[in-house]
Amino acid sequence: MTPRWSVAALPFLLAAPVAGDGFPSHNVTLLSHVPLEAFATNPTSGNDCWGYVSSSGREYALMGLRTAVGVVEITNPTQPVIIAEVTHSSSNWCDIKVYGDHAYAVNESGGGIDVIDLSNVDNGVVTLVQRVTDGGVDRSHNVAIDEECGFLYLAGSNLSSGRLVAFDLADPANPVLAGQMSAAEGDYVHDAQIVSFTTGPNAGKQICFASVGSFGLDIYDVTDKTAMFRLSRTSYPNLSYAHQAWLSEDRQLLYLNDELDMVNETVIFDVSDLGNPAVVGSSTSGLTAGDHNVYVHDGFIYEAEYRGGMRVFDAADPLNPVQVGWFDTYPEGDNAGFNGAWSVYPFFPSGNVIISDKNRALFVVRPGPAPIAFSFPGGVPDLIGPTAPGFVIEIESQDGFVLDPSSPKLHHDIGGGFVETPLIPLGGSAYGADFGVLDCATTVRFYTSAETTSGLSLTDPPSGPCAPYIALVGLDATVPFADDLEADNGWIAGLPGDDAISGIWTRVDPIGTASQPEDDHTLDPGAACYVTGQGPEFGGIGEADVDEGATTLRTPLLDLTGDGEAVISFWLWYSNDFQQLDADEGAGPSEDVFVIDISGDHGGSWSNVLTIGPSGDGTTGGWTYYSFRVADIVEPTAAMYARFVASDVGNLSIVEAAVDDFTATLVTCAESLPGDVDGDGIVGIIDFLLVLGAWGPCPRPCPPCAADFDGDCVVGIGDFLIVLGSWTP
């Protein structure tokens, strides 16, 4: 049984910095990911999922794909194995359910009901037994199974105008048409759950809880397949399209997702009286992403919320579920749209859960406490010494798992890819990270990993190489300029010479487009960033897509002449998707580029830092971290600018960009020598004279006082003795 999580309710909106394909999460551990391209049938999208457990206890994910059902063994959840792909007509929808050792798949393009034999899957054999077309069935939006009584129901099929159609599974390999609902008793059913009651006032009845689109919730008595009839129909506030619902485990409540209500509320019904259901509450993750499929297991509610990923709610108080965990399969944003998590399956005995994603296929995750906990006693470092060990980390197994003590590793990247080295055991649960010798003021990306004795491998942060920790190499750092772009601090958007007719840089709270972020890089506490256009109705200028020219964003004037190496860093979102339009126009790959330049003479001349593109296959966005050492480009001065130039040269590509969290840092790497007042690395006569010249109390407030080495706010005999003790021959 899944353990009750001892965590407080989460705020409605949670976020984590994301780079590339990182998947933010809370109280859910990613075990493995099987992307679309891993399947041999080359699917262009994913859809539904279900699960199967063989007689030996091995676990399998059944992943719906546009052209097939993928059968993936996840017994070892960190090393999934694709066993088979059972092809079907190409369809955006493929729904799958299991009865005994057979899976049943339907789609909206044709071919009837696929009957798939899984009884020999442990030996790598999956067999398509037949395609059932009994009664003229050709296509169906959905399929549901009463596992207690052995009946399969089609929902939204070509028969009976999409009303319920029942098949007898007495012989699981040969479903037999048992009845169809009449027009007088029902309407098109989008999805359904069918259960058999053995106790109480409904004992002996087989009852269907149906989501019927714009009508809301229908409850049917389907005991007699030749005379199925409606017991009740119930609407609810904000009804738009009742998509799917699932019963509480005591069958007293039902949780229903409305796919199009735009408020992302799961409606809670009291269904104890089948003839008179009542709306008794609602729950929400607080996101604007649409909710799609919901399931209840072991006191928790698991929901697939499209761009919001999987959301997990504790139903200890079933009328007031509390969000306790989530895993975001679509980190690009949480606004309404039909990308992201399609469905979930939380019923595996192992406690692992699968998520099917329209864009990224199959995820295997583990809700609840992570098998391995990572913590930093001194906090996650933002500075790594150039020669000293980097940090101490505590690594402990939990939730009944056992840590392999030889497995903890450090993975770090200074620009040439991640390098793996063992963490150093320090006794108990403590490990040390040693990066070796690093160049001053470089940027280090790093994460740690460890394994359990059962083979589960985890990383910290959870997204590992996709969204690692980031630090600078140095012993000390000052920040002469940092801007989270929440206020107008003197940036210039749109400079003389720019010729783009749309997509002009503007500072707003982004609303998200097909190619632009919905949120700034740091959601909390900020909301704003610079984007290429937003529309005046949202506080911006023009449209988001850069067209027919260039648009420039320039920083305020930067003084980078202080002590230390100057490093500039920022987060960038850049999308260049020529395929959306160029394919129709017959144009070739996009020639557009995104340019980042720096100037040390008030903008009189510019040196290129980075040019992104031209892209052969489109650059698809995502917040990505960039940093560079200024001296590698130009000499740091007190008259510096950086600029960001997005352009579309007129080939009709869709170019959009965003910039956030710009920082200029001065990093020092040399340790100060006691007695070295002038900082030249030598203690000699000059330092002796400087001590004499500063003799007496330090100016208030104290510190600073350069010659006060003993820290008593007085330059005196103690400091004189330190100079003598450090005298350089």
Side-chain angles (χ1 to χ4, degrees), residues 26 36 75 115 160 211 285 287 305 313 349 359 363 386 395 433 449 621 658:
H26 182 86
L36 289 170
T75 307
V115 181
S160 193
S211 300
S285 64
L287 304 176
E305 295 192 358
F313 298 83
N359 310 91
F363 294 84
I395 304 177
S449 67

Side-chain angles (χ1 to χ4, degrees), residues 393-417:
I393 185 170
E394 299 276 349
I395 304 177
E396 298 179 279
S397 55
Q398 55 186 5
D399 197 24
F401 291 88
V402 178
L403 175 70
D404 178 350
S406 65
S407 67
K409 294 181 175 62
L410 168 70
H411 309 258
H412 77 279
D413 174 23
I414 55 174

Side-chain angles (χ1 to χ4, degrees), residues 308-514:
M310 180 186 77
R311 300 281 154 168
V312 186
F313 298 83
D314 187 337
D317 179 351
L319 296 180
N320 297 285
V322 176
Q323 184 179 200
V324 293
W326 49 275
F327 185 89
D328 190 354
T329 63
Y330 190 84
E332 293 90 338
D334 297 321
N335 56 330
F338 301 108
N339 310 97
W342 183 291
S343 195
V344 299
Y345 182 84
F347 304 111
F348 287 111
S350 65
N352 298 329
V353 174
I354 58 173
I355 307 169
S356 61
D357 184 272
K358 184 174 181 179
N359 310 91
R360 295 182 169 101
L362 179 67
F363 294 84
V364 185
V365 300
R366 185 172 186 83
I372 297 174
F374 301 82
S375 62
F376 291 83
V380 179
D382 53 16
L383 283 175
I384 300 293
T387 58
F391 55 81
V392 174
I393 185 170
E394 299 276 349
I395 304 177
E396 298 179 279
S397 55
Q398 55 186 5
D399 197 24
F401 291 88
V402 178
L403 175 70
D404 178 350
S406 65
S407 67
K409 294 181 175 62
L410 168 70
H411 309 258
H412 77 279
D413 174 23
I414 55 174
F418 281 97
V419 176
E420 176 186 296
T421 54
L423 288 171
I424 304 167
L426 301 177
S429 59
Y431 290 82
D434 190 344
F435 290 83
V437 177
L438 300 173
D439 290 336
C440 183
T442 55
T443 298
V444 181
R445 302 189 308 142
F446 66 93
Y447 68 97
T448 58
S449 67
E451 296 181 4
T452 67
T453 53
S454 59
L456 287 179
S457 178
L458 287 90
T459 66
D460 182 68
S463 300
C466 297
Y469 295 120
I470 300 171
L472 289 173
V473 177
L475 295 175
D476 196 12
T478 58
V479 181
F481 181 79
D483 197 348
D484 60 8
L485 303 183
E486 295 305 313
D488 184 355
N489 290 316
W491 292 64
I492 301 297
L495 293 176
D498 285 357
D499 53 0
I501 63 173
S502 66
I504 309 305
W505 287 102
T506 181
R507 190 179 62 84
V508 292
D509 178 358
I511 60 168
T513 69

Side-chain angles (χ1 to χ4, degrees), residues 198-354:
T198 58
T199 60
N202 301 307
K205 294 182 179 180
Q206 297 161 35
I207 302 298
C208 172
F209 297 85
S211 300
V212 287
S214 59
F215 295 112
L217 170 67
D218 277 4
I219 299 179
Y220 301 112
D221 187 325
V222 296
T223 309
D224 183 349
K225 308 302 177 288
T226 63
M228 298 181 280
F229 62 95
R230 185 168 60 211
L231 296 171
S232 61
R233 168 168 287 177
T234 310
S235 184
Y236 52 87
N238 299 311
L239 169 62
S240 183
Y241 199 86
H243 179 267
Q244 184 263 356
W246 206 255
L247 288 165
S248 62
E249 289 162 305
D250 62 5
R251 299 182 178 177
Q252 298 299 294
L253 299 175
L254 180 129
Y255 301 90
L256 182 144
N257 278 344
D258 189 305
E259 186 176 18
L260 304 176
D261 60 8
M262 304 305 292
V263 295
N264 191 8
E265 286 186 344
T266 298
V267 185
I268 306 174
F269 293 85
D270 182 339
V271 293
S272 57
D273 180 352
L274 300 178
N276 189 32
V279 176
V280 292
S282 65
S283 68
T284 179
S285 64
L287 304 176
T288 55
D291 42 356
H292 198 226
N293 287 313
V294 57
Y295 296 98
V296 182
H297 182 59
D298 275 351
F300 291 89
I301 300 169
Y302 299 81
E303 292 192 7
E305 295 192 358
Y306 277 131
R307 293 182 176 184
M310 180 186 77
R311 300 281 154 168
V312 186
F313 298 83
D314 187 337
D317 179 351
L319 296 180
N320 297 285
V322 176
Q323 184 179 200
V324 293
W326 49 275
F327 185 89
D328 190 354
T329 63
Y330 190 84
E332 293 90 338
D334 297 321
N335 56 330
F338 301 108
N339 310 97
W342 183 291
S343 195
V344 299
Y345 182 84
F347 304 111
F348 287 111
S350 65
N352 298 329
V353 174
I354 58 173

Side-chain angles (χ1 to χ4, degrees), residues 640-655:
M640 308 206 76
Y641 289 117
R643 70 180 181 185
F644 303 86
V645 184
S647 62
D648 182 341
V649 298
N651 60 3
L652 300 179
S653 60
I654 295 179
V655 173

